[in-house]
């Protein structure tokens, strides 16, 4: 279908983009357009103004800031998954990003767009949650930070105010450079499809025991979730397949996944347990 009519503003700076959001009641930001354009074409949204961020200064790129990387919101999936910095320090993010859609979508779609869209079936919100990322948000009163656990509020809903935008994301270095093992397990009906369920696991080992585990779940509720019962059960245990089996059996606790054409809720809960076991075993190096 043809999208509804709207004005388009190309913002040169973050401040310019925020000013349009503050002036207009019904404006939408355009990043890679991979989610927004289908929404417009299906006439699920009728913005008066679309604010194009594709030439907005200072929103692309990846830099090293000590214990974390800073990734500009407009950095494409392709750039993230191929970044030497991301692969070395935040390998889970590179691995999960490589499973997003297909090459065309990864060349246009952006890290910030995927997080702001907050689709619980998207791979990157659960990964951001597992890392404990911090979102840097710009609004009319300047910038503020929001933790990933507060950012994802509900289905397609974030903590962003209508006058705010995501500018960059701070991702802690939890990768091989800091002795973290990782694995993203994605179960999909066909290659390049959305996840029926996904599990993002980060595991830090020390002296034969699991020191800490951080596990994010994709498509297991109306927002990305942490598998907190599994994380707690893994804390301090000797690294054995039996211990991982017991902890993974708790992975679906507290989840409320959807039932749809790709699977019923109880099937998704079963998948979450199976995929968590597999992801944690790999991340723990067993
Ligand atoms: C065929 C297809 C298959 C896909 N498969 C997958 C998949 O397997 N896994 C997966 O995770 N994703 C998948 N996607 C989605 C893809 O990852 C998109 O890139 C992503 O969801 C949106 O990113 P974008 O940059 O295109 O954002 P856009 O579509 O431009 O924007 C998405 C939403 O975020 C808002 N937004 C964008 N940038 C900002 C910002 N900086 N601050 C505040 N709000 C902002 C927009 O206003 C809009 O509401 C798929 C998409 C397609 C078309």
């Amino acid at each position: 279908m043809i999208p509804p009519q709207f004005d388009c503003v190309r913002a040169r700076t973050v401040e310019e983009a925020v000013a349009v959001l503050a002036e207009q009641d019904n404006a939408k930001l355009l990043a890679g357009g991979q989610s927004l354009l289908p929404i417009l074409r299906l006439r699920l949204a009728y913005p008066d103004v679309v604010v194009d961020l594709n030439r907005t200064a200072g929103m692309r790129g990846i830099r090293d800031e000590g214990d974390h990387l800073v990734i500009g919101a407009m950095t494409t999936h392709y750039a993230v998954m191929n970044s030497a910095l991301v692969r070395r320090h935040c390998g889970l993010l590179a691995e999960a990003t490589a499973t997003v859609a297909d090459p065309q979508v990864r060349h246009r779609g952006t890290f910030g767009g995927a997080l702001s869209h907050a689709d619980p079936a998207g791979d990157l919100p659960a990964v951001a949650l597992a890392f404990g990322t911090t979102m840097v948000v710009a609004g009319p009163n300047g910038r503020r930070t929001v933790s990933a656990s507060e950012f994802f509020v509900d289905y397609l809903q974030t903590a962003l105010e209508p006058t705010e935008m995501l500018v960059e994301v701070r991702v802690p270095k939890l990768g091989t450079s800091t002795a973290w093992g990782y694995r993203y397990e994605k179960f999909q009906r066909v290659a390049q499809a959305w996840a029926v369920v996904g599990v993002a696991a980060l595991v830090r080992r020390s002296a034969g025991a699991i020191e800490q585990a951080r596990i994010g779940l994709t498509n297991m509720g109306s927002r990305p979730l942490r598998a907190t019962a599994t994380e707690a059960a893994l804390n301090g245990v000797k690294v054995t397949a039996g211990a991982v089996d017991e902890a993974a059996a708790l992975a679906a606790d507290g989840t409320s996944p959807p039932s749809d054409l790709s699977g019923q809720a109880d099937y998704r809960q079963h998948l979450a347990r199976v995929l968590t076991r597999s992801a944690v075993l790999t991340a723990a190096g067993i």
Side-chain angles (χ1 to χ4, degrees), residues 114-196:
L115 298 180
S116 304
H117 190 52
D119 188 338
D123 299 289
L124 303 179
V127 172
L129 202 58
F131 270 104
T133 57
T134 302
M135 317 297 177
V136 180
V137 169
N141 301 319
R143 296 193 178 193
R144 66 180 180 115
T145 57
V146 184
S147 67
S149 56
E150 290 171 348
F151 188 77
F152 302 107
V153 174
D154 206 343
Y155 184 72
L156 305 184
Q157 271 181 44
T158 68
L160 288 171
E161 297 293 336
T163 52
E164 288 182 323
M165 59 184 278
L166 181 61
V167 177
E168 54 190 26
V169 184
R170 296 178 188 154
V171 189
K173 287 182 180 170
L174 308 180
T176 44
S177 64
T178 47
W180 285 80
Y182 58 85
R183 178 68 180 163
Y184 188 64
E185 286 285 350
K186 176 171 177 172
F187 188 84
Q188 51 200 161
R189 280 156 57 118
V190 292
Q192 305 189 339
W194 292 83
V196 179

Side-chain angles (χ1 to χ4, degrees), residues 29-41 54 74 108-110 113:
L29 296 166
L30 172 71
Q34 299 304 297
S35 296
L36 183 62
L37 287 185
I39 287 171
L40 295 179
R41 293 176 70 105
N54 281 276
M74 286 297 293
R108 299 283 325 172
T110 66

